[in-house]
Amino acid sequence: MIQNIMIAAKERGLYSCPQAAWNHFHPIVLDVLNAPEDKEKNWSVPLPWVMLIRMLS
């Protein structure tokens, strides 16, 4: 699934970088996202916000 997100981003001119090094912060991230307690964060794909905002505007 992660590769699909990265391919879709690349097709839209957005570069991404899969990360798992932040996994020890998953309780904080899940709290911010209001995710159910039975969920875990295993990876993330940062996207450049500036490019994303420019594309959407």
Side-chain angles (χ1 to χ4, degrees), residues 10-53:
K10 179 68 172 162
E11 288 178 355
R12 290 162 178 78
L14 300 172
Y15 293 90
S16 58
C17 175
Q19 298 181 355
W22 298 93
N23 282 353
H24 59 281
F25 289 110
H26 80 269
I28 297 168
V29 173
L30 293 176
D31 185 47
V32 169
L33 296 175
N34 293 320
E37 290 188 18
D38 64 335
K39 301 299 179 195
E40 263 188 38
K41 179 192 157 301
N42 294 318
W43 49 265
S44 59
V45 181
L47 297 171
W49 282 98
V50 173
M51 292 176 70
L52 184 60
I53 290 170

